[in-house]
Amino acid sequence: MKSLMTFLLALLWGTVAAANGVPVVQPVTASFRVTSECGVAQDLRLGADAALTTCAGKASEVAAVMPALVVAGRRLYLNADLRLSTPDAISLSILITAYHGDQVASHSGGNYLFSGGLLQASAYIPPEADKVGVFIQVNSGPAQLHIHTLSLSRSSAVYAPGQMSKDSAAYLEQAFDKLTNYYLYYDADRLRTLRQSAGISVSGAVSPADLSLTLKDVVRLLGDPHSRFLTVEEIRILDASKARERAGSPSDDHAIDAILLAPDLAYVKLFSKAPVTREARQRYAHQVRDVLRDMHERGARRWIVDLREQSGGSTGPLIAGFRPLYGNIDVGYTVDRNGKRRRWAFGIPADSDDQEPYFTGADPIFDGVREPVALLIGNRTASAGEALLTAFLQRPHSATFGAATAGLTTSVFDRPWPDGASLAISTGRYADRNGQVILGKIAPDHALDTQPEDHRDAVLEAALQWIRQL
């Protein structure tokens, strides 16, 4: 009877905490160890104010493995106070795995973009678990990671699988409703399995903030590189990074650079840009189009368009700005999972992109539809860069040079939620002007194997050789 009363009081305590959105926790004794550093196996007890080195392509890892007796049936919280030696963010992986004998009872894991400070992630430990492992992997970054404090805590309440606050349950349903209704690679059985495992992982959640690790794990298991879940803090980090880049890079301010390599040959280089407001998108489209028009007025009739650093951003303004080189025709489509096509009318004066026209019939234009275009591409050409490339596919007098693109050839539904977090999911495939769907990476017409130690731009040289013959 006493144990039953204790259990009921714990549940009541957890319910009150859930209503307030604040977890009531107790410390858990655990010993963290450095298991590897820069890919080299270690077995060192983590000391105070320890530091891990970040190495390109080689993970460093800290782990704590313990019996599950004191955390089974509860929510386990990882609490970290981590400092970086530079303001640049690093990529961390956090994994919480519960075992029952030799079998995995539950697993939650995901990547976090992190710039230092406090970091918390949590997951539910099923009642049948007998062992728990908590792992932090430093994946990449320019700085050393200083571990100021690292600890675990558990919910004071014991929870049944699937028990959580109303806000947490609604947040989880919101995520899976979005996947069910819009996700490009929708698979009912697969999504049902993910929903079941996620429902267990978020047990004991008292607020939507407790769901970050679970939602990152769901996206990871989707296996779609263009989908992601970002916390409010991660979005803040990305915004700050973009602001620093804009402050230090004139090319980012302009998003496009252009010079004449010959009296009739223009070299145009594109950079990633993601304007948010309607006014900013309008400026972006006009900025691109005005640069092309200026080159044309100075004599350009042949074009080299460098997309090797165009790794994302806003698709509509970018395609709209290049209208002079392919005219007022449908240069591409987005095809959803039901086969419904949405035409790319970006920049056609008589049409619009979601009632957002970029140009009017009075805007100055030039006819460059028959002018030769060489496009330089590579593995950093991604997303919006691949969309612009798609707009040129099947265009006469065009050719591509370099290496295959990143393969993010899908449209993304990326509207932030009211709390500021974002679940971005792929909703449609790119298709070229002939309706041919793009499946993954886009291979160049002329492939070139460039090496980092090369002191010449072999891709540009090949494009120049091709275009000079026209």
Side-chain angles (χ1 to χ4, degrees):
M1 178 63 71
K2 184 176 180 181
S3 61
L4 176 61
M5 287 298 295
T6 301
F7 177 76
L8 291 175
L9 284 172
L11 285 181
L12 178 60
W13 195 1
T15 302
V16 172
N20 294 328
V22 178
V24 178
V25 298
Q26 301 168 333
V28 172
T29 302
S31 177
F32 282 91
R33 305 185 74 86
V34 179
T35 61
S36 66
E37 187 163 7
C38 291
V40 179
Q42 305 280 343
D43 184 19
L44 304 173
R45 186 185 179 96
L46 192 68
D49 291 323
L52 285 180
T53 306
T54 61
C55 299
K58 296 181 180 180
S60 296
E61 182 177 273
V62 173
V65 179
M66 60 185 183
L69 180 63
V70 297
V71 294
R74 302 173 189 262
R75 192 158 191 86
L76 179 64
Y77 291 86
L78 169 67
N79 315 290
D81 184 354
L82 310 174
R83 316 289 173 85
L84 303 182
S85 57
T86 74
D88 298 302
I90 64 173
S91 172
L92 295 177
S93 290
I94 295 177
L95 303 94
I96 299 178
T97 304
Y99 303 89
H100 178 63
D102 295 331
Q103 302 297 315
V104 174
S106 67
H107 174 80
S108 296
N111 294 332
Y112 286 82
L113 188 64
F114 185 68
S115 62
L118 300 176
L119 178 66
Q120 185 180 79
S122 62
Y124 177 71
I125 308 303
E128 68 272 17
D130 51 37
K131 185 173 67 174
V132 176
V134 180
F135 307 90
I136 302 176
Q137 293 178 343
V138 185
N139 299 322
S140 65
Q144 273 198 329
L145 177 68
H146 296 272
I147 304 172
H148 189 61
T149 59
L150 199 58
S151 64
L152 298 176
S153 56
R154 66 174 189 177
S155 62
S156 297
V158 175
Y159 294 93
Q163 182 183 8
M164 69 194 83
S165 72
K166 290 183 178 179
D167 287 349
S168 301
Y171 204 81
L172 185 64
E173 288 306 315
Q174 181 181 11
F176 277 90
D177 283 349
K178 188 173 183 178
L179 290 168
T180 299
N181 293 324
Y182 302 108
Y183 186 49
L184 174 62
Y185 308 109
Y186 173 76
D187 180 309
D189 292 337
R190 175 64 171 154
L191 211 57
R192 190 180 302 112
T193 300
L194 288 176
R195 174 64 182 83
Q196 290 172 349
S197 61
I200 294 175
S201 177
V202 299
S203 302
V206 300
S207 76
D210 286 342
L211 274 64
S212 66
L213 188 62
T214 296
L215 291 178
K216 284 181 176 291
D217 197 43
V218 168
V219 173
R220 179 184 65 84
L221 292 171
L222 289 175
D224 173 18
H226 218 181
S227 296
R228 67 191 185 279
F229 176 77
L230 295 176
T231 66
V232 177
E233 177 63 16
E234 288 178 300
I235 292 175
R236 184 197 66 77
I237 291 171
L238 287 173
D239 289 344
S241 175
K242 291 175 183 176
R244 287 196 301 271
E245 289 176 3
R246 285 194 295 270
S249 173
S251 62
D252 187 71
D253 288 337
H254 299 296
I256 179 171
D257 283 342
I259 60 171
L260 287 174
L261 298 180
D264 69 339
L265 175 59
Y267 170 80
V268 180
K269 187 175 181 66
L270 275 298
F271 303 90
S272 301
K273 189 169 184 177
V276 176
T277 66
R278 174 172 178 161
E279 293 75 14
R281 290 191 294 271
Q282 294 278 343
R283 287 195 301 271
Y284 182 22
H286 281 257
Q287 190 178 78
V288 171
R289 195 276 316 272
D290 289 348
V291 167
L292 298 183
R293 188 164 61 90
D294 176 64
M295 290 288 103
H296 198 267
E297 289 177 350
R298 293 169 58 186
R301 297 297 183 269
R302 296 180 296 170
W303 306 82
I304 294 177
V305 180
D306 193 341
L307 299 178
R308 290 175 293 180
E309 297 299 323
Q310 223 304 337
S311 57
S314 295
T315 297
L318 189 58
I319 291 177
F322 274 87
R323 273 287 162 195
L325 294 181
Y326 33 68
N328 289 342
I329 63 172
D330 293 346
V331 293
Y333 302 89
T334 298
V335 184
D336 69 15
R337 70 192 194 195
N338 299 315
K340 183 178 179 180
R341 297 196 313 184
R342 179 178 178 273
R343 54 191 288 256
W344 290 356
F346 315 111
I348 298 178
D351 218 317
S352 66
D353 163 35
D354 294 332
Q355 289 73 53
E356 186 178 312
Y358 292 100
F359 303 111
T360 69
D363 282 298
I365 198 81
F366 65 89
D367 182 9
V369 174
R370 296 181 179 277
E371 296 175 357
V373 178
L375 299 112
L376 315 185
I377 62 175
N379 58 16
R380 286 177 55 81
T381 307
S383 193
E386 289 171 299
L388 180 60
L389 174 60
T390 298
F392 279 95
L393 296 180
Q394 310 304 328
R395 176 190 182 273
H397 318 297
S398 302
T400 56
F401 300 81
T405 62
L408 303 184
T409 47
T410 58
S411 58
V412 173
F413 182 14
D414 190 15
R415 187 174 302 161
W417 286 342
D419 67 343
S422 171
L423 174 61
I425 61 171
S426 295
T427 55
R429 292 182 175 91
Y430 296 165
D432 66 23
R433 62 183 64 193
N434 292 338
Q436 181 66 42
V437 172
I438 309 298
L439 299 176
K441 299 180 179 182
I442 302 175
D445 299 319
H446 305 273
L448 291 103
D449 182 18
T450 59
Q451 302 298 325
E453 61 269 17
D454 288 348
H455 298 292
R456 62 189 183 92
D457 191 337
V459 177
L460 177 58
E461 289 178 3
L464 284 169
Q465 183 178 0
W466 174 82
I467 208 164
R468 283 169 177 160
Q469 295 173 355
L470 300 178

